[in-house]
Amino acid sequence: MTRTVAKIHLKGGREKSLLRKHPWIFSGAIERVENAPASGDTVEVVDAGGKFVARAAFSPASQIRARVWTFDSAEPVDVDFFRRRLVRALDSRGALGLLGGSTACRLVFAESDGLPGLIADRYADYVVCQFLAAGVERWREEIADLLMDLVGPRGVYERSEASARKKEGLTSQRGLLRGAEPPAEVEVEAGGGRWLVDVVNGQKTGAYLDQQRNRLRVAELAAGGELLDAFSYTGGFAIAALLGGANSATLVESSAEALRVAEREAEANGVAERCRFVAASVFDELRAQREAGRRYDLVVLDPPKFVHSADQINSGSRGYKDVNMLGLQLVRQGGVLATFSCSGHVDAALFQKIVAGAALDARRDAQIIERLSQPADHPVAIEFPEAEYLKGLILRVH
Ligand code: SAH
C-alpha cells in the first residue's frame, strides 16, 4: 500500500532560506498544502517547480508553519532518525567533558541540535524535557524511550510549559514520562559547588544551565569583595562567588520559593552566614539601597527575558536601561558590573547601546572588560542565528 505523502508547496523563490539550511517555513512562504496533514505530521516541502527541498514537521496553528527535520531526501523521519540526532547531541556534550558524574548540562538545544522544539536538560540522574513544537510533541513517546535508552537516567520528566507551546496550539504539560519520580530536590555538582534543583516546581526545567560557566567567571572577579546578586533565582552567582572567595553576597529575588532553595543551597555549601536574602522586586530594592548609600564591589544583573517579541523591543529596552542604571549606581568606584540579557530580540549591539545609555544617566564611566555569551551546551547552529540569545557585559565602573 502506498501512503499519500502530505506536501507543502512553496511560493516561487521562497525556498532560498531553506537552501541555506534555515529550518523554519513561515506561513507566508507557502503556496498550498496538499493531502491535509495533521499537527506534527511529517510533510515533504517542495519548491514551486515541485522539487524536494526538505522534510519537515507541520504545525497548523503556528506562524512557523513547519520546522525542518532533514534536508536529505533519502533520510526518512522515523525512530532511527531521532536516535541519530540524539546520539550526535550527546556525543558533542561528551566530547566537551560535560557528562561526568552528577553534573548538569543541556543535552539537546532544539534547532541547533537538529531537533526543532526539543529541550532536554540533564540534572545528575534525571533528564527534564520540554516539547515546544508540534513536531517533537508528535514524537514525544519515542523521544522519551530514546532518552531513557541513550542517557540511562533514573527518570525522564516533562516540563512542557513555555509560552512557545501556545503558539503551536499545544497546552502545558508536566509530569513523569519514564522511570522514577525525581526527588523534591535533585543534587547536582558544578564548579566545586552543590546545587539543589527542583525539577518539578522550579523555573524552566529547574535551573538556568546557561549561566553555569558565566557564574565561575564572575566568581573569579568577585574574590575578596561584596557582591550583589540581583535576580538571583536560587543564588547561582552568589554562591559560586562565595565559594570563589567573595566576602559577602546579597541576593535579591522576587520569588520567595526560589530564595528558600537558595538558603538551603547556601547551607549545603557552608556559605550561609555570608549571605543576605532579600525577597523583593529588584527595581524597588535597588532604588532603596541606592538611597540608603549602600554600595558593592561587584553587582550582577541577570533579569528574566524582558523582550518576548519584536514589538516589545522598545518597552523591554526601557526595562533593561532602568535596571542597569540602578545597578551601575550601586557599584563602588573601580568596581565591576556583570550585566546580562537573555532576550534574543535584543542583540549584542543593542544591549551595549542600552547599557551605554544607562551609564550616561547614572553619571558613571564604564569600560567593557569582557563579553560573555551562552555556553557550549547551548550551541548556535551556524545557519540558525535565532539560537543566540544570551549576552553579558562585564564592565569596570568608575
Ligand atoms: N541569576 C539566576 C537566574 C535568574 S532568572 C541564576 O543564575 O540561576 C531571573 C529571575 O528573576 C527569576 O528567578 C525571577 O523569579 C526573578 N525576577 C523576575 N522579575 C523580578 C523582579 N522584578 N525582581 C526580582 N526578581 C525578579
Side-chain angles (χ1 to χ4, degrees):
M1 187 184 104
T2 51
R3 288 188 31 221
T4 50
V5 180
K7 278 189 185 168
I8 284 177
H9 293 263
L10 296 174
K11 289 178 182 163
R14 298 304 291 269
E15 72 286 359
K16 284 201 184 103
S17 63
L18 292 160
L19 295 178
R20 287 194 302 268
K21 291 178 98 179
H22 190 280
W24 288 351
I25 297 147
F26 287 95
S27 57
I30 297 174
E31 182 66 44
R32 69 190 167 90
V33 178
E34 187 184 332
N35 287 330
S39 176
D41 277 359
T42 301
V43 295
E44 257 184 48
V45 183
V46 298
D47 68 13
K51 192 163 160 261
F52 177 94
V53 183
R55 205 159 271 131
F58 189 62
S59 184
S62 174
Q63 281 301 103
I64 304 172
R65 195 53 50 90
R67 292 174 199 242
V68 172
W69 292 128
T70 177
F71 294 99
D72 179 356
S73 62
E75 185 174 43
V77 178
D78 53 16
V79 174
D80 274 343
F81 167 85
F82 288 97
R83 182 183 292 275
R84 284 193 301 278
R85 290 287 161 101
L86 288 171
V87 166
R88 193 176 81 178
L90 296 173
D91 283 353
S92 107
R93 275 65 177 178
L96 292 162
L98 297 175
L99 298 181
S102 48
T103 57
C105 96
R106 177 150 292 182
L107 300 174
V108 181
F109 186 40
E111 272 80 348
S112 285
D113 282 306
L115 292 167
L118 180 66
I119 300 292
D121 289 341
R122 168 179 170 259
Y123 297 104
D125 292 328
Y126 294 87
V127 172
V128 185
C129 330
Q130 296 183 313
F131 300 91
L132 303 179
V136 280
E137 172 70 12
R138 163 61 64 93
W139 292 91
R140 64 204 293 277
E141 299 303 323
E142 291 83 353
I143 290 169
D145 284 338
L146 285 165
L147 286 169
M148 249 345 240
D149 184 28
L150 297 170
V151 183
R154 275 201 200 138
V156 177
Y157 200 82
E158 175 175 17
R159 289 293 306 272
S160 298
E161 294 152 71
S163 58
R165 270 182 74 95
K166 270 197 212 101
K167 294 187 187 159
E168 295 281 313
L170 305 168
T171 55
S172 285
Q173 297 211 53
R174 176 193 307 208
L176 186 68
L177 285 176
R178 295 291 181 277
E181 282 281 350
E185 276 160 3
V186 178
E187 189 169 324
V188 164
E189 283 167 39
R194 294 165 65 190
W195 310 98
L196 305 174
V197 184
D198 180 349
V199 305
V200 176
N201 297 303
Q203 296 182 19
K204 308 279 174 185
T205 63
Y208 291 88
L209 291 175
D210 52 1
Q211 291 286 31
Q212 281 200 116
R213 194 185 56 187
N214 295 337
R215 287 177 198 134
L216 298 180
R217 181 61 189 128
V218 167
E220 288 172 349
L221 298 166
E226 292 182 292
L227 173 119
L228 172 68
D229 183 358
F231 306 98
S232 69
Y233 188 48
T234 64
F237 280 99
I239 295 171
L242 291 167
L243 287 170
N247 282 342
S248 70
T250 300
L251 292 73
V252 182
E253 164 62 47
S254 57
S255 159
E257 228 172 3
L259 273 189
R260 274 196 292 277
V261 177
E263 284 182 44
R264 280 196 297 281
E265 223 166 45
E267 292 280 350
N269 287 285
V271 298
E273 69 285 356
R274 288 186 281 147
C275 288
R276 200 159 76 87
F277 304 92
V278 183
S281 162
V282 162
F283 294 91
D284 300 339
E285 178 63 21
L286 269 56
R287 213 167 278 126
Q289 292 202 14
R290 178 188 66 191
E291 302 315 317
R294 188 78 183 80
R295 297 294 179 266
Y296 297 88
D297 300 299
L298 195 150
V299 172
V300 178
L301 299 174
D302 187 21
K305 206 188 214 181
F306 286 161
V307 179
H308 295 266
S309 54
D311 60 320
Q312 295 176 350
I313 290 180
N314 283 337
S315 60
S317 298
R318 273 196 297 282
Y320 284 118
K321 188 176 172 190
D322 287 349
V323 78
N324 276 280
M325 192 184 82
L326 288 167
L328 282 156
Q329 289 173 325
L330 286 171
V331 178
R332 285 201 178 103
Q333 281 291 332
V336 171
L337 175 73
T339 179
F340 296 91
S341 161
C342 61
S343 300
H345 290 280
V346 175
D347 65 17
L350 175 56
F351 185 53
Q352 183 174 327
K353 224 189 248 172
I354 294 168
V355 178
L360 269 183
D361 285 5
R363 299 168 191 271
R364 301 298 297 268
D365 286 331
Q367 306 158 299
I368 298 171
I369 55 174
E370 201 167 320
R371 295 172 193 277
L372 300 176
S373 62
Q374 59 207 66
D377 55 346
H378 294 60
V380 180
I382 194 79
E383 70 280 357
F384 186 65
E386 288 86 346
E388 195 168 340
Y389 68 99
L390 181 64
K391 57 236 140 245
L393 293 173
I394 299 193
L395 304 169
R396 174 78 59 200
V397 184
H398 302 282

